[in-house]
Amino acid sequence: MSICTKTGDDGTTALLYNRRVPKTHPRIEACGAIDELNSAIGLARASLAPPRGEGRGEGSPSIHDFISPKLLHIQKQLIDLMGEIATDTADLPRYAKDGFRIITAEDYAPLEIWIKEIEAQKISFKGWATPGGTPTASALDLARAIARRAERRVEKLLQSAATENRHLQIYLNRASDLFWLLARWAEGNVT
């Protein structure tokens, strides 16, 4: 089977369970923003130097060891977010029955723990952040900005009742906060 199916040549695309919608449909816009976010997170992961055992001090993790597992965890969860968003509300019972995950507060609980962990390190920062301190911090700031856009797209779905799962929007809100903190952490932890 070829990747070039030509089924989208008419300006439509398929949601899960083969419901066709215009490529400009709010669900597709939300999925597209999350897809871009996942790519930006991949860029941030790729920008990390291979682990060398260096960190902020003796016993501290390297920048790679501290950030990369968190980003990979989020990337995997974003697939679940996209799957849920790409499923018409009428098909959600079938989606769950087929074993796909519905996003809950348990999904963003680790992000909240990581946020508290970084805040406990008393990262010093005053004023606005200007992206560009390091390649990793810049990629994380890009991920943060895209996460905010994805959050706005999901909020639009919530307002139009195209989804009722508020946890989708909360997840993206927590992720963008975490990306901001990780970017600041990366700027102070150049290895």
Side-chain angles (χ1 to χ4, degrees):
M1 180 175 179
S2 173
I3 189 73
C4 182
T5 63
K6 302 180 184 179
T7 57
D9 289 353
D10 65 353
T12 66
T13 193
L15 298 176
L16 289 178
Y17 305 110
N18 294 317
R19 291 182 189 262
R20 300 228 32 112
V21 296
K23 290 185 178 189
T24 56
H25 190 281
R27 282 189 189 284
I28 303 307
E29 291 287 342
C31 285
I34 294 169
D35 189 27
E36 290 176 43
L37 171 58
N38 209 340
S39 296
I41 295 169
L43 178 64
R45 279 186 46 234
S47 76
L48 294 166
R52 296 186 299 181
E54 297 176 15
R56 290 181 173 233
E58 194 171 313
S60 295
S62 71
I63 189 169
H64 180 279
D65 292 345
F66 186 75
I67 294 177
S68 187
K70 292 170 178 62
L71 297 182
L72 184 59
H73 176 88
I74 292 168
Q75 285 185 288
K76 290 178 179 180
Q77 287 192 313
L78 290 178
I79 301 300
D80 293 332
L81 264 82
M82 282 194 294
E84 185 175 340
I85 291 167
T87 304
D88 188 270
T89 306
D91 293 324
L92 280 176
R94 180 179 174 190
Y95 179 81
K97 183 181 176 204
D98 286 346
F100 295 109
R101 295 188 57 257
I102 302 294
I103 299 300
T104 68
E106 290 179 16
D107 293 303
Y108 52 82
L111 281 63
E112 292 175 342
I113 291 168
W114 296 333
I115 287 168
K116 288 178 185 174
E117 177 184 331
I118 297 167
E119 288 176 336
Q121 295 179 29
K122 304 210 184 300
I123 291 176
S124 174
F125 186 81
K126 295 177 182 165
W128 291 93
T130 302
T134 69
T136 297
S138 298
L140 288 163
D141 278 319
L142 178 63
R144 175 195 46 79
I146 296 170
R148 291 290 185 206
R149 179 160 36 91
E151 183 183 359
R152 292 189 303 271
R153 299 296 186 265
V154 170
E155 182 61 30
K156 188 173 184 178
L157 291 174
L158 286 160
Q159 289 177 2
S160 69
T163 187
E164 296 176 357
N165 188 354
R166 173 69 52 193
H167 296 295
L168 297 164
Q169 180 267 333
I170 294 170
Y171 185 97
L172 293 165
N173 189 27
R174 294 300 179 279
S176 63
D177 291 342
L178 179 62
F179 297 142
W180 189 88
L181 284 169
L182 286 172
R184 306 297 69 80
W185 192 90
E187 286 173 341
N189 193 350
V190 179
T191 58

